Amino acid sequence: MSDKQFDVVVIGGGPGGYVAAIRAAQLGFNVACIDEWKNAKGGPALGGTCTNIGCIPSKALLQSSEHYEHAGHSFADHGIKVEGLGLDVAKMLSRKDTVVKQNNDGIVYLFKKNKVAFFHGRGSFVKASDAGYEIKVEGAAEESITAKQVIVATGSNARPLPGAPFDEENILSNDGALRIGAVPKKLALIGSGVIGLEMGSVWRRLGAEVTVLEALPTFLGAVDEQIAKEALKAFTKQNLKIELGVKVGEVKSGKKGVSIAYTDAKGGAQSLEVDKLIVSIGRVPNTIGLNAEAVGLKLDERGAIEVDEECRTNLPGVWAIGDVVRGPMLAHKAEEEGVAVAERMAGQHGHVNFNTIPWVIYTSPEIAWVGQTEQQLKASGRAYKAGTFPFLANGRARALGDTTGMVKFLADAATDEILGVHMVGPMVSELISEAVVAMEFKASAEDIARICHAHPSLSEATKEAALAVDKRTLNF
Ligand code: FAD
Ligand code: NAI
């Protein structure tokens, strides 16, 4: 077992860990990153959940399935005739795998460029001493590395349904959900959160009959109610069957598929027979194999690593970021925490503004938001003004042939400061950035309303919604 000394060791090479490693190296630290993810051939696959079985492959399949749906349903409206339309699921999956590999390889390149030493294997704490924290790497060979500063970025895993463990054949996590080899006739998803809606959309577009079973009586409770209502209307129109307020009972997996017993919102006993079931009921922080006990690293009651606002753990020099700590489980949140921690280690003042972290659900229509929802403002008693603008009245949306949804602004009643921006509609994943920038700069709704936006563009709906706060839309 060799022994190597670094300034900083990052455990986990997902978006939190790899970005932290690069930023620390840019700041002059001698950095190592350990990641255990294996590709199909057993080699390294940097990028974590996000790159391998999360953000990137899901967006690749969302794009492919959207093309298929357009070719089958909306091209005709544009005067484009498609004959003999067919589906090659194997090709679609292999394209997705190529996109993933491009991202894996990109991180290897970035590590070389920034001189980050990469160790492929599982990293675990051995002990703390004057030399720093000793970390064992179990990979093809066993190695030992030591550093005074450690960043834990070990991510999260899918939460299984009690009594129905993932077999990735019939009962699928997000991993299996991204590599179903043939379109299932009937597909169920448990949980109508972000994964439920995105993966449900992929397989519905490809031809599956999809039912989503959700425990809560409200649809997308964290989303602004008006936006969630609009989205539910659109999904229902697409035949994505969403049942709210259900209580899932026994789930049995057999040769013919999966049977799910559940109680519906009215208390009626129901059962559903499907070919495949995707369980998307949230994720749990991952500290498996980290040997946190060896150094006394403190976890909270959810199993997340306990950290303060600046990602400091209870141990001096040990930091934790991303899905393994509190806060939203989003790749860009993990990245921002990684950058901020590297900068704090260098004596700088890295900062993450939790009030301006955007959320995007990449369905069709897309859903995106930043800041507070109307129901949150009502509950807090803050006086606010609201302005909305529908894509129906936007020229670019009409030209695209996609006029679903709206943009909604919420601004302080007295100061006009933007408190939240909520969107449902085409390409709002891109439009939300303007709202994030505006909120970071503490802009007022009037600031956005006075800015020149290109015509015709979807972003004009943002300007118009800002104008609507003051009841002076020009095109509605
Ligand atoms: P991870 O990405 O989970 O990376 C952790 C890494 O650490 C992994 O490579 C793991 O193998 C490694 N590791 C763990 N323990 C050890 C150990 N002891 N030694 C060595 N290595 C270890 N977020 C978005 O912002 N946008 C999206 O569109 C989006 N889509 C998603 C779609 C799906 C289907 C899923 C499941 C998630 C999605 N997310 C999305 C969430 C996003 O993937 C996570 O928030 C993000 O990956 C968290 O980054 P992380 O670096 O904290 O952890
Ligand atoms: P989620 O938290 O978004 O949704 C889980 C849903 O399951 C909730 O609506 C919850 O009420 C429901 N639920 C929980 N237990 C249930 C039960 N027993 N029966 C029925 N319903 C139940 O979690 P999800 O979809 O698994 O995604 C995990 C996380 O991954 C997300 O919260 C998000 O942080 C991240 N993600 C982000 C994406 C993005 O940014 N576009 C895409 C996909 C995932």
Side-chain angles (χ1 to χ4, degrees):
M1 202 155 71
S2 63
D3 198 359
K4 296 184 174 122
Q5 180 82 37
F6 289 88
D7 299 329
V8 179
V9 168
V10 183
I11 308 178
Y18 91 76
V19 167
I22 290 173
R23 185 69 189 119
Q26 285 175 347
L27 290 163
F29 292 109
N30 180 19
V31 184
C33 179
I34 309 167
D35 189 84
E36 66 177 340
W37 206 290
K38 288 191 182 116
N39 63 23
K41 291 180 184 153
L46 276 160
T49 302
C50 170
T51 303
N52 292 295
I53 52 168
C55 326
I56 300 298
S58 61
K59 265 79 260 178
L61 289 186
L62 278 157
Q63 191 61 57
S64 300
S65 59
E66 197 171 358
H67 284 325
Y68 179 68
E69 182 155 77
H70 283 321
H73 297 284
S74 57
F75 276 10
D77 292 342
H78 292 258
I80 303 168
K81 288 185 189 165
V82 180
E83 276 161 22
L85 179 67
L87 190 59
D88 182 346
V89 177
K91 168 80 186 156
M92 200 177 275
L93 296 182
S94 86
R95 176 191 175 272
K96 178 250 319 174
D97 293 339
T98 304
V99 174
V100 167
K101 186 163 183 314
Q102 286 164 344
N103 282 272
N104 297 141
D105 294 349
I107 303 168
V108 172
Y109 161 79
L110 292 171
F111 274 5
K112 281 191 185 132
K113 181 181 160 199
N114 289 283
K115 302 191 172 48
V116 173
F118 172 56
F119 292 82
H120 189 212
R122 171 168 288 188
S124 57
F125 284 103
V126 178
K127 64 175 190 300
S129 69
D130 288 346
Y133 294 92
E134 188 192 335
I135 316 276
K136 180 170 73 177
V137 185
E138 287 165 286
E142 197 168 297
E143 301 194 67
S144 159
I145 57 183
T146 306
K148 289 236 157 97
Q149 306 263 11
V150 179
I151 303 175
V152 182
T154 46
S156 63
N157 292 318
R159 181 195 302 281
L161 199 65
F166 297 119
D167 56 26
E168 303 300 1
E169 268 303 314
N170 285 343
I171 302 179
L172 313 173
S173 70
N174 55 295
D175 185 4
L178 287 159
R179 48 185 173 83
I180 303 174
V183 180
K185 202 161 170 294
K186 289 188 173 188
L187 171 72
L189 294 101
I190 298 183
S192 72
V194 198
I195 295 180
L197 294 174
E198 289 188 355
M199 295 319 300
S201 293
V202 166
W203 294 106
R204 181 204 58 75
R205 289 169 188 169
L206 298 180
E209 192 185 306
V210 178
T211 307
V212 189
L213 301 174
E214 166 61 46
L216 292 178
T218 41
F219 178 62
L220 286 178
V223 174
D224 184 272
E225 268 171 24
Q226 194 179 359
I227 298 293
K229 224 165 124 187
E230 192 74 15
L232 183 58
K233 219 164 63 189
F235 296 142
T236 307
K237 219 165 124 190
Q238 294 164 5
N239 278 331
L240 191 65
K241 195 172 166 213
I242 300 171
E243 285 203 47
L244 300 173
V246 310
K247 193 168 185 308
V248 173
E250 197 181 10
V251 173
K252 275 197 257 170
S253 172
K255 276 197 184 121
K256 285 191 180 158
V258 186
S259 74
I260 305 152
Y262 67 98
T263 312
D264 65 23
K266 290 184 183 144
Q270 302 287 349
S271 76
L272 190 62
E273 309 290 325
V274 291
D275 303 298
K276 305 271 179 197
L277 167 68
I278 298 172
V279 177
S280 48
I281 57 169
R283 298 181 61 80
V284 283
N286 171 29
T287 52
I288 301 164
L290 197 57
N291 202 17
E293 320 77 64
V295 286
L297 180 62
K298 208 166 154 195
L299 309 185
D300 67 15
E301 64 287 348
R302 287 184 322 118
I305 296 177
E306 203 169 281
V307 287
D308 67 8
E309 274 174 20
E310 300 202 318
C311 295
R312 287 172 216 277
T313 70
N314 64 313
L315 301 174
V318 180
W319 312 73
I321 59 170
D323 279 14
V324 78
V325 304
R326 62 8 192 180
M329 288 184 167
L330 294 173
H332 42 284
K333 176 264 193 183
E335 290 178 23
E336 293 304 318
E337 284 183 333
V339 168
V341 163
E343 293 178 351
R344 284 171 199 139
M345 289 187 321
Q348 298 182 1
H349 300 281
H351 178 67
V352 181
N353 183 356
F354 276 84
N355 294 324
T356 54
I357 294 177
W359 276 85
V360 176
I361 306 178
Y362 294 82
T363 41
S364 176
E366 292 184 340
I367 304 166
W369 71 98
V370 58
Q372 299 188 67
T373 59
E374 191 160 356
Q375 60 267 27
Q376 281 173 327
L377 290 174
K378 275 189 184 143
S380 71
R382 184 145 182 191
Y384 66 91
K385 301 176 285 181
T388 58
F389 187 83
F391 283 107
L392 200 63
N394 176 273
R396 183 78 194 278
R398 288 189 194 123
L400 281 174
D402 188 355
T403 53
T404 316
M406 67 175 86
V407 177
K408 173 173 179 176
F409 266 64
L410 297 166
D412 186 272
T415 65
D416 197 36
E417 181 185 340
I418 302 167
L419 303 174
V421 179
H422 306 273
M423 303 175 170
V424 53
M427 298 303 285
V428 297
S429 54
E430 300 296 331
L431 296 188
I432 199 67
S433 294
E434 180 180 6
V436 176
V437 173
M439 286 184 65
E440 273 293 344
F441 285 88
K442 298 227 173 287
S444 63
E446 189 185 349
D447 287 329
I448 298 297
R450 285 189 179 279
I451 291 171
C452 182
H453 288 67
H455 175 76
S457 70
L458 296 171
S459 72
E460 287 173 294
T462 308
K463 178 189 172 102
E464 290 274 5
L467 280 165
V469 169
D470 206 22
K471 299 198 172 33
R472 55 188 191 95
T473 51
L474 296 164
N475 285 287
F476 189 63

